[in-house]
């Protein structure tokens, strides 16, 4: 069975400061990893994903995440946040086995302070 | 652009009513999912379907059922709504084990 831990339920940060949202997972098999973002009153949308290849993946709006197999982590980082980044962020994992479900973490609420 | 639509954004029902939540996707995805989202608990999987007429229980299926008569449509049914089913309900679809595409959600309140 897989599980996902997001240690920080709420992260306040000042505008233009860097931020890291932590995600750790447990799994006995190889995995795919995802970060989703949820803006207020909306559904979730994909921010970035790791399927294979380079362990560092980037989004179009400046976020990046690094897959660390030895530490079973997939932390999300941004060097300089904007007010518009205020949202709920979910880390998710699924095994590489066909037809497996996705396990979501409990979410981290990022609040960017002007 | 993949589009997943849900029949209602907000819904208010009374205890004991039968409730239908509908989800439609336009990208010919085989896999579809229903989640509920509650503060501090993240997303919990209620039911999923890998193909038409197929359905599988997720982590919290009690009190719910589903229907998938057509590939693009996946319905969640609350046979007799209860107050503890007040929640945000999210539908999603995907291709194999890749990313999921979510609908905007239905916020259901059961009085």
């Amino acid at each position: 069975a897989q599980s996902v831990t997001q240690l920080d339920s709420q992260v306040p940060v000042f505008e233009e400061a860097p931020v890291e949202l932590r995600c750790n997972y447990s799994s006995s098999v190889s995995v795919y990893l995802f970060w989703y973002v949820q803006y207020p009153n909306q559904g979730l949308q994909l921010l970035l994903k790791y399927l294979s290849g380079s362990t560092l993946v980037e989004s179009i709006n400046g976020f990046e995440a690094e897959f660390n197999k030895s530490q079973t982590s997939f932390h999300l980082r941004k060097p300089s946040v904007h007010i518009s980044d205020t949202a709920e962020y979910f880390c998710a994992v699924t095994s590489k086995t066909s037809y497996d479900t996705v396990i979501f973490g409990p979410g981290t609420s990022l609040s960017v302070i002007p | 652009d993949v589009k997943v639509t849900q029949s209602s954004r907000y819904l208010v029902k009374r205890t004991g009513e039968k409730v239908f939540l509908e989800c439609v996707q336009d990208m010919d995805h085989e896999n579809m999912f229903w989640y509920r989202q509650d503060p501090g608990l993240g997303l919990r999987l209620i039911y999923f379907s890998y193909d038409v007429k197929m359905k599988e229980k997720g982590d919290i299926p009690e009190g719910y059922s589903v229907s998938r008569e057509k590939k693009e449509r996946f319905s969640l049914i609350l046979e007799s709504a209860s107050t503890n089913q007040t929640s945000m309900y999210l539908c999603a679809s995907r291709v194999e084990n890749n990313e999921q595409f979510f609908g905007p959600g239905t916020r259901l309140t059961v009085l």
Side-chain angles (χ1 to χ4, degrees):
Chain A
Q2 294 145 0
S3 66
V4 179
T5 304
Q6 292 180 248
L7 291 173
D8 306 303
S9 60
Q10 295 185 347
V11 174
V13 61
F14 286 105
E15 193 174 13
E16 298 184 4
V19 70
E20 177 179 81
L21 307 183
R22 295 179 290 171
C23 171
N24 288 90
Y25 69 93
S26 68
S27 177
S28 57
V29 299
S30 297
V31 297
Y32 296 137
L33 293 156
F34 308 86
W35 275 100
Y36 288 86
V37 59
Q38 184 180 32
Y39 298 105
N41 298 315
Q42 295 186 25
L44 278 70
Q45 53 187 276
L46 183 73
L47 188 60
L48 44 75
K49 62 184 176 183
Y50 170 77
L51 302 181
S52 64
S54 172
T55 57
L56 184 65
V57 291
E58 298 176 353
S59 72
I60 58 173
N61 59 350
F63 282 95
E64 65 177 32
E66 185 157 21
F67 169 51
N68 188 319
K69 190 175 181 180
S70 63
Q71 296 186 6
T72 59
S73 67
F74 191 53
H75 300 331
L76 182 70
R77 302 183 182 93
K78 189 170 185 180
S80 175
V81 294
H82 301 134
I83 296 290
S84 59
D85 293 324
T86 294
E88 189 88 14
Y89 291 81
F90 293 93
C91 182
V93 62
T94 188
S95 76
K96 291 186 176 181
T97 305
S98 292
Y99 298 116
D100 194 16
T101 58
V102 177
I103 306 299
F104 287 86
T108 297
S109 178
L110 174 65
S111 297
V112 180
I113 305 162
Chain B
D1 244 12
V2 176
K3 194 130 185 157
V4 180
T5 56
Q6 294 183 228
S7 50
S8 304
R9 291 300 303 273
Y10 299 93
L11 210 52
V12 180
K13 296 291 181 180
R14 296 203 176 274
T15 302
E17 279 193 79
K18 191 168 186 175
V19 181
F20 293 88
L21 303 182
E22 297 212 323
C23 175
V24 178
Q25 51 96 1
D26 65 359
M27 282 302 291
D28 203 36
H29 287 170
E30 289 184 344
N31 302 171
M32 296 189 74
F33 305 81
W34 274 107
Y35 297 89
R36 63 177 282 176
Q37 181 181 15
D38 301 287
L41 298 177
L43 276 71
R44 292 181 291 168
L45 182 62
I46 305 171
Y47 266 96
F48 58 103
S49 169
Y50 286 143
D51 206 344
V52 178
K53 304 283 187 181
M54 291 179 63
K55 58 184 178 183
E56 299 284 344
K57 291 180 180 179
D59 300 318
I60 52 164
E62 296 79 20
Y64 303 94
S65 62
V66 290
S67 172
R68 186 132 182 237
E69 296 296 319
K70 293 184 178 181
K71 194 173 186 179
E72 68 270 18
R73 189 179 298 270
F74 192 35
S75 302
L76 180 69
I77 303 156
L78 286 66
E79 295 290 342
S80 178
S82 63
T83 54
N84 62 13
Q85 292 178 310
T86 291
S87 186
M88 169 72 91
Y89 290 87
L90 293 166
C91 175
S93 71
R94 74 171 186 190
V95 176
E96 293 188 349
N97 277 23
N98 214 313
E99 68 180 278
Q100 293 188 330
F101 294 86
F102 285 84
T106 295
R107 189 169 292 282
L108 172 67
T109 301
V110 182
L111 302 175

